Amino acid sequence: MILVLAALLLASDSSADADRAGWAFKRKVTVSGDASLASLTLPPELSTKAGPHGRSLRLTDASGAEIPYILDGSGEREGLATWQARVQDIRREKESDATTSAVRSQWTIDLGEARSFTELNLDIPDVAFAWHVRLESSSDGRFFKTTQPDAALFDQVWNGARVRRTSISFETPVIARFIRVTARSASDSSMLDLTGASVTLRRRLVSDSWSMNLKATPEAADGPGARVSRYKLDGSSLLPFDQVEVMAGDPAFLRHARLIEVDESSTSHGETLLGEGSIFRLKTEDRIVGGESLAFRARSGSGGTLVLEIENGGSAPLRALVVRLRGSRVRLLFPVSNRSITLYYGNETTRAPLYDLEGMRSRLVQAIGKSAASLGPEETNPSFRREPPLRFPARVGTVVDSQRWQRERKLAPIKEEDVYALTLGAEDLASLRPNLADLRVVDGENRQIPFLVDSDFAEERITLKVEKNPTSTRGVTKFDLSPLAGWSAAHPPKISAVELGISDPFFERGARLVSATTESRRTNAFSFRLARRPPETEALTIDTNLPLGALSLEVDDGDNAPLDLQSAVARIRVPRIVFKAAPGVLRLLLGNASVDLPRYDISGLRSELLAYSAVPLSAGLLADNAGAKPSLNTRLDGASPRVILWVAILAAIAGLIAITIKTLKS
């Protein structure tokens, strides 16, 4: 038995790997706890294989179906927030009566209410000043505590360039309503004017950040007289960085730096600016002017070579240069519906996926950290083969007689040639045979558009009406579960799971889920146990493969009161179809009992099409095909089993009568 299970697991993994043959690497994902939403932190180096903005990242469950996710980068999670403040009080006085005495000024800033902030920005219209600053904070405006004993504010011209600092950063967030700024100016500095202020909160946590030192190799033009030095960095531009720090051994310098991405794959070696800023280190006799600022903001690139460019002016190039990239860790947020999850990445030709979860980004990002997931070691996909970009033209197939199909859905107009995908719904499956043999995509001339079926691609949730059955007996409670919209299809879609919302805090009871498949026969699906222990509150999930329709839940209560079943939801696994189409108007044809499965040459490009992220396509409502001419098979397919039985009996009687008459005549 163990060997059989192992073989089944290996076969499942092999099938999933084959469907992701365009992805070079994979890692197992382990989710801790029972939460329905998980957060997976990605190591920075994984980004170098995942493509620009993580476009090749794909999460799949045990069946190989994609799990939607949100890629949460530094910009979203940093949560920048800024509040304006007003200057409430100003005081100025000299430290002594001497003419060279420094001037001490004091401002009280009111934030309006208690705020949490990591940065204070002062509005100073003056130029050519140099001040020492002491910062104190208070929640009530009476009792202040020192927050920053000594900081520098200055605006000076140094080596022909202006250096200005009017903001102060804090290592940890400060919580206060009032800020008192006490400044001491140099004797020859002008009187400082503070017209306003603001505070900023950057929510990046230390545990959320990463940094990496890169080796900087000077290019040939670098030398003692070079006005611009260029350094090739040994890191990937795909790393999720948002800041560049330049460290040097020089005691004092002021330079303008730029981070550039060079596309060495093109003949023109095009360059893209990723970020720029001034870096300086000032060490003078006056400590007020001293200080350093070695970092500037930048963004990730698209995979080209990183080059740091520094303007030297008339100075020698910086010595002992070290470049450090900083950024926030990137995370995947995804719903947990299956514990066997694999992360695939490393596909150079695919595009970033588009999921409906993007519409819930602002809410889901706030849930980071509530349920952590971890990554296993990197593995090579044994089925990997490098996929070329999809350059084949869109083709059409043979013409079909659309009158033989009973239902149709009009697709959104195609504006340009591309690979498109349409996710079918449970209502579509109800109009189709179980093997989807009667599904077609056609253009305005009823020519077939070849497509692939990506089975179990997504999940549709259908709310079930819950009613207590009056035939319940003592010790056994029966609940009738039925779709709100009602389903009367010859081939209803299969339910993969049923979610039960039960308000009782704890219980453990036997139960059965039953489907009335015909008017005279009931089929027992299986027996199971309903159980919950505090502090669990999530809905209970029952796996099944019953057809969507009228269900009956029978619960063995024993001597307990009946459970309070408040809601039920049926989960249906639905496929998508993927096809390449030229501009035009297309429609789906559904429901034809007399056609066989279509055969298209495009099936040989299955891995290529699935590797290339298709553009999601919308469709209109499912409707009757106005020009349909139902065949006998179609009429019988939609009839009830009892009607079919009586038709067969009457046909047999008519046949016997015809044979009898013929025999008597002879």
Side-chain angles (χ1 to χ4, degrees), residues 303-477:
T305 302
L306 286 178
V307 172
L308 179 67
E309 191 174 86
I310 300 178
E311 295 181 3
N312 298 320
S315 303
L318 297 177
R319 297 180 293 105
L321 196 69
V322 176
V323 179
R324 177 178 296 162
L325 298 182
R326 296 182 182 274
S328 291
R329 298 188 183 278
V330 176
R331 301 183 181 184
L332 295 184
L333 281 177
F334 59 93
V336 181
S337 58
N338 191 298
R339 294 289 162 178
S340 180
I341 301 173
T342 303
L343 175 67
Y344 288 90
Y345 56 97
N347 186 321
E348 298 178 357
T349 62
T350 191
R351 295 182 300 188
L354 296 174
Y355 300 124
D356 293 340
L357 281 183
E358 282 296 329
M360 303 173 61
R361 170 176 289 274
S362 59
R363 293 171 54 192
L364 293 179
V365 166
Q366 300 302 319
I368 288 178
K370 291 189 176 180
S371 180
S374 59
L375 277 176
E378 182 176 276
E379 303 176 43
T380 300
N381 184 356
S383 301
F384 171 70
R385 66 176 184 272
R386 191 174 302 278
E387 304 289 357
L390 296 180
R391 296 175 180 170
F392 63 89
R395 296 181 179 179
V396 295
T398 57
V399 175
V400 299
D401 181 4
S402 63
Q403 294 181 340
R404 298 172 61 191
W405 272 264
Q406 304 305 305
R407 313 297 298 277
E408 69 173 1
R409 286 182 73 187
K410 295 181 179 179
L411 305 186
I414 304 294
K415 296 182 179 180
E416 59 183 359
E417 182 172 316
D418 209 331
V419 178
Y420 295 91
L422 176 69
T423 301
L424 302 181
E427 188 180 17
D428 297 320
L429 299 182
S431 300
L432 295 165
R433 285 148 54 191
N435 62 353
L436 307 187
D438 49 343
L439 176 65
R440 296 293 187 275
V441 182
V442 299
D443 63 11
E445 301 176 23
N446 288 329
R447 296 178 300 180
Q448 298 184 64
I449 306 298
F451 63 88
L452 290 175
V453 177
D454 188 5
S455 302
D456 294 337
F457 173 74
E459 186 175 79
E460 183 174 343
R461 298 170 60 86
I462 296 178
T463 302
L464 302 178
K465 182 180 180 181
V466 178
E467 291 181 316
K468 193 172 181 179
N469 193 306
T471 64
S472 299
T473 60
R474 178 178 175 82
V476 178
T477 304

Side-chain angles (χ1 to χ4, degrees), residues 467-495:
E467 291 181 316
K468 193 172 181 179
N469 193 306
T471 64
S472 299
T473 60
R474 178 178 175 82
V476 178
T477 304
K478 298 179 181 179
F479 298 94
D480 293 333
L481 312 179
S482 58
L484 292 177
W487 289 83
S488 57
H491 305 290
K494 296 290 185 180
I495 301 172

